[in-house]
């Protein structure tokens, strides 16, 4: 594919398309099953805090560890599956490498599960130094090492996949800047409104995720060395910076990967093209730097941090979610407005994701303000905000894409969605709002996070959230049953250009 025809889609053989579709379906089916299991673990945690599930503190922290690591990992790989499906239409991605990453991911997952449930590791997914090595007998050095090794293996798979992204994008566009639309942004090339939004998003994901995961690999190796050679003592503040840089990047990239479902599918549902512009390019270019620069808002309480880093984090945190979220949300609303769109399950989920992304970011911005952070950051407010944009932002993007594959190219627009889809949607949405509302109300009331046992006056908040979690699980269970029974046999939606 020449760089003079970058808006054209790549042609694959029927066998290649079928192989790619099978790979994407495998990712999505695994994602739904893991989402369901991790939600059960999360509901158990809230039920334990609400005195509704009698589990010990050791089991609580094991569940908390596997829930955090599992949800972040599966959101990352499912979001990447959405991006990969659409990006391969514009650049020549390798299905073999896509499968290799999936196999490496599952290998890492098995090792992590063994470290938690066999080795009883319960140091949280953040694995903050020096906790993994000083468990006071709660788990062994081997269990901590297995957890860190599992994360390192998963990260290695992602790096391999991202290298393939880089190869494919460079072979088609010649440079990452051109793929991002920078020559158009700065007037070096004529504006092309049909430059693929997916390629812009995919290039941003490649750059940011590669750097973030590489930083994670560095800190994981440092901590593995420390476990078996305690004389090697890395600087705790450096380690914490690397961990939160890695963690903040990988979970945000899950959103920026899955958001391409909005760019690709809403035009098909509305019959209107999604056109890129200089504002669009500027937003995605800005977020390349902003998503890597705001993580110090997690470190306000670490007084040795440089003052300039804290000030910069606060300023950037105010606007970090705005560029892409605004252009995406505004663009989606303009596509839908007076389009006569039929609100099938996929379309409803995609529009829900825009609400969840925007509304879920508001508590995050509040927490990033130093005056609020001092009283909110170590409370339930923080899991409230990230559950908000994960449950109601990222997951609906992934679910919306899945129902597109499941219901065909037109999203079954001429038919009323099955009862399971309709019940699943409303149970999921209602439960998610109740669930995150319980978290945010808990945080506003000063209830601390990561406490296995709650005081009596805190218990009702946990019980409300538990009810919300049950409704979410019912919704996802209904979705999963339909996915398991219909998706494996669903034909290729036979994508057509949106313009």
């Amino acid at each position: 594919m020449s760089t003079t025809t970058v808006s054209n889609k790549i042609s694959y053989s029927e066998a290649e398309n079928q192989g790619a579709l099978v790979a994407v379906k495998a990712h999505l089916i695994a994602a739904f099953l893991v989402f369901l299991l991790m939600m059960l673990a999360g509901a158990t945690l809230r039920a334990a805090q609400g005195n509704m599930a009698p589990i010990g503190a050791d089991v609580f922290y094991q569940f908390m560890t596997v829930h955090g690591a599992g949800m972040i990992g599966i959101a990352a790989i499912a979001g990447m599956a959405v991006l990969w499906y659409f990006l391969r239409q514009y650049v020549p991605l390798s299905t073999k490498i896509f499968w290799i990453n999936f196999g490496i991911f599952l290998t890492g997952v098995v090792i992590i599960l063994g470290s938690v449930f066999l080795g009883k590791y319960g140091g949280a997914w953040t694995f903050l130094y020096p906790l993994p090595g000083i468990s006071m007998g709660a788990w062994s050095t081997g269990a901590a090492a297995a957890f860190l090794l599992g994360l390192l293996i998963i990260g290695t798979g992602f790096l391999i996949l991202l290298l393939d992204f880089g190869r494919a994008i460079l072979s088609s566009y010649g440079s990452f800047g051109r793929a991002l639309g920078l020559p158009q942004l700065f007037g070096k090339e004529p504006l092309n409104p049909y430059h693929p939004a997916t390629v812009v998003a995919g290039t941003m994901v490649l750059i940011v995720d590669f750097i973030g995961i590489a930083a994670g690999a560095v800190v994981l190796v440092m901590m593995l060395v420390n476990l078996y050679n305690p004389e090697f003592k890395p600087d705790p503040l450096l380690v914490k910076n690397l961990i939160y840089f890695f963690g903040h990047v990988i979970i945000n990239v899950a959103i920026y990967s899955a958001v391409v479902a909005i760019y690709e599918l809403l035009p098909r549902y509305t019959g209107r093209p999604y056109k890129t512009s200089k504002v669009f390019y500027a937003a995605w270019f800005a977020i390349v730097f902003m998503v890597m620069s705001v993580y110090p808002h997690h470190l306000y309480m670490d007084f040795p941090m440089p003052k300039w880093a804290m000030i910069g984090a606060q300023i950037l945190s105010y606007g970090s979610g705005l560029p892409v979220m605004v252009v995406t949300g505004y663009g989606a609303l303009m596509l839908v407005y007076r389009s006569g769109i039929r609100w099938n399950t996929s379309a409803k989920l995609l529009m829900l994701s825009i609400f969840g992304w925007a509304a879920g970011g508001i508590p995050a911005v509040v927490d990033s303000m130093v005056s609020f952070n001092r009283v909110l950051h170590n409370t339930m407010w923080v899991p409230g905000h990230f559950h908000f944009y994960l449950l109601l932002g990222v997951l609906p993007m992934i679910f919306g894409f899945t129902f597109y594959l499941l219901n065909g190219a037109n999203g079954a627009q001429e038919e009323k969605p099955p009862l399971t889809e309709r019940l699943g949607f409303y149970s999921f949405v209602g439960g998610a709002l109740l669930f995150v509302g319980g978290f945010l109300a808990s945080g506003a009331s000063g209830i601390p996070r990561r406490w296995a046992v709650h005081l009596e006056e805190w218990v009702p908040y946990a019980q409300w959230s538990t009810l919300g979690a049950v409704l979410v699980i019912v919704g996802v269970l209904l979705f999963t049953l339909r996915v398991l029974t219909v998706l494996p046999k669903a034909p290729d939606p036979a994508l057509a250009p949106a313009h």
Side-chain angles (χ1 to χ4, degrees):
M1 179 177 177
S2 71
T3 56
T4 59
T5 58
V6 294
S7 293
N8 295 339
K9 292 189 175 183
I10 292 180
S11 295
Y12 295 94
S13 69
E14 185 177 344
E16 288 173 324
N17 281 331
Q18 188 60 33
L21 187 63
V22 169
V24 170
K25 287 179 178 179
H27 280 69
L28 294 174
I29 289 170
F32 271 82
L33 293 173
V34 175
F35 281 138
L36 195 57
L37 290 173
M38 293 300 99
M39 287 173 178
L40 287 169
T44 302
L45 295 174
R46 291 303 272 152
Q49 292 171 331
N51 295 335
M52 301 164 69
I55 61 174
D58 54 344
V59 176
F60 179 93
Y61 288 112
Q62 291 164 29
F63 270 48
M64 188 184 77
T65 300
V66 79
H67 174 74
M71 275 300 192
I72 290 171
I74 201 63
I77 202 162
M80 199 66 77
V82 177
L83 174 60
W84 187 88
Y85 177 85
F86 290 114
L87 185 61
R88 74 178 291 273
Q89 297 171 31
Y90 304 100
V91 299
L93 295 176
S94 167
T95 303
K96 182 181 293 186
I97 289 179
F98 191 50
W99 274 117
I100 287 172
N101 176 53
F102 190 56
I104 292 173
F105 176 82
L106 294 178
T107 301
V109 167
V110 170
I111 293 172
I112 289 172
L113 290 175
S115 74
V116 173
F117 293 115
L118 298 179
K120 303 187 183 306
Y121 176 78
W125 80 268
T126 46
F127 54 93
L128 287 176
Y129 173 81
L131 179 58
I134 53 168
S135 70
M136 306 297 288
W139 58 81
S140 66
T141 298
F147 183 83
L148 299 177
L149 182 63
L151 291 178
L152 186 61
I153 289 171
I154 289 172
T156 301
F158 273 108
L159 289 176
I160 293 171
L161 181 65
L162 291 168
L163 284 172
D164 188 53
F165 276 29
R167 173 201 58 79
I169 291 170
L170 289 175
S171 71
S172 296
Y173 289 86
S175 71
F176 295 140
R178 195 156 187 265
L180 283 168
L182 298 187
Q184 298 178 54
L185 173 63
F186 296 116
K188 301 297 184 182
E189 291 182 1
L191 185 63
N192 175 14
Y194 298 115
H195 181 72
T198 294
V199 171
V200 177
T203 306
M204 175 270 175
V205 166
L206 161 65
I207 295 169
V208 172
D209 213 21
F210 193 93
I211 295 172
I213 293 174
V218 169
V219 74
L220 286 165
V221 170
M222 289 168 61
M223 293 186 67
L224 280 166
V225 172
N226 169 260
L227 282 177
Y228 290 100
N229 181 18
E231 296 302 313
F232 172 73
K233 298 182 184 297
D235 179 79
L237 189 60
L238 171 63
V239 171
K240 190 171 184 179
N241 271 266
L242 288 171
I243 289 173
Y244 275 100
F245 175 74
F246 152 70
H248 194 270
V249 163
I250 195 170
I251 195 57
N252 275 274
V253 163
I255 303 175
Y256 296 117
S257 301
V259 76
V260 299
I262 293 171
Y263 299 145
E264 295 282 348
L265 297 183
L266 283 184
R268 291 177 172 82
Y269 293 154
T270 61
R272 296 172 172 176
Y274 189 100
K275 296 183 179 180
T276 50
S277 64
K278 287 191 175 184
V279 173
F280 182 88
Y281 300 139
W284 278 94
F285 185 49
I287 209 66
V288 168
F289 304 98
M290 295 175 81
V291 79
M292 293 191 291
S293 305
V294 301
Y295 81 91
H297 65 221
H298 292 282
L299 307 175
Y300 286 152
M301 296 185 185
D302 294 271
F303 59 87
M305 282 289 290
K307 189 173 181 179
W308 62 263
M310 302 290 92
I311 294 172
Q314 178 158 352
I315 294 171
L316 289 171
S317 294
Y318 291 159
S320 63
L322 291 177
V324 173
M325 191 270 290
V326 168
V327 298
T328 302
Y330 178 79
L333 291 174
M334 291 302 98
L335 283 174
V336 169
Y337 181 65
R338 292 188 174 181
S339 68
I341 185 174
R342 294 290 188 93
W343 289 105
N344 59 73
T345 305
S346 175
K348 288 192 292 186
L349 284 164
L350 292 176
M351 291 304 292
L352 171 67
S353 72
I354 295 173
F355 160 76
W357 190 9
I362 294 172
V365 172
V366 170
D367 183 58
S368 71
M369 300 178 190
V370 172
S371 56
F372 285 95
N373 187 277
R374 291 169 58 191
V375 295
L376 288 178
H377 196 71
N378 284 327
T379 72
M380 289 291 196
W381 185 269
V382 171
H385 91 68
F386 64 68
H387 278 94
F388 203 135
Y389 65 70
L390 284 175
L391 263 181
L392 289 163
V394 180
L395 263 62
M397 293 177 189
I398 296 166
F399 292 173
F401 168 68
T402 303
F403 278 102
Y404 164 73
L405 292 183
L406 190 149
N407 288 327
N410 295 319
Q413 292 197 46
E414 303 305 320
E415 302 176 8
K416 192 174 185 179
L419 181 62
T420 52
E421 287 187 19
R422 285 178 280 144
L423 289 177
F425 178 82
Y426 292 111
S427 181
F428 174 77
V429 175
L433 289 171
L434 179 60
F435 181 71
V436 300
F439 267 119
L440 293 173
S442 298
S445 300
I447 300 174
R449 59 185 170 130
R450 295 178 178 161
W451 282 31
V453 180
H454 276 204
L455 299 178
E456 185 177 347
E457 57 268 31
W458 301 345
V459 167
Y461 295 94
Q463 293 175 339
W464 300 345
S465 281
T466 303
L467 175 59
V470 171
L471 291 173
V472 168
I473 290 169
V474 170
V476 175
L477 178 60
L478 291 172
F479 283 167
T480 303
L481 291 174
R482 182 149 171 78
V483 166
L484 292 176
T485 55
V486 179
L487 184 61
K489 299 178 182 178
D492 192 327
L495 298 172
H499 54 272

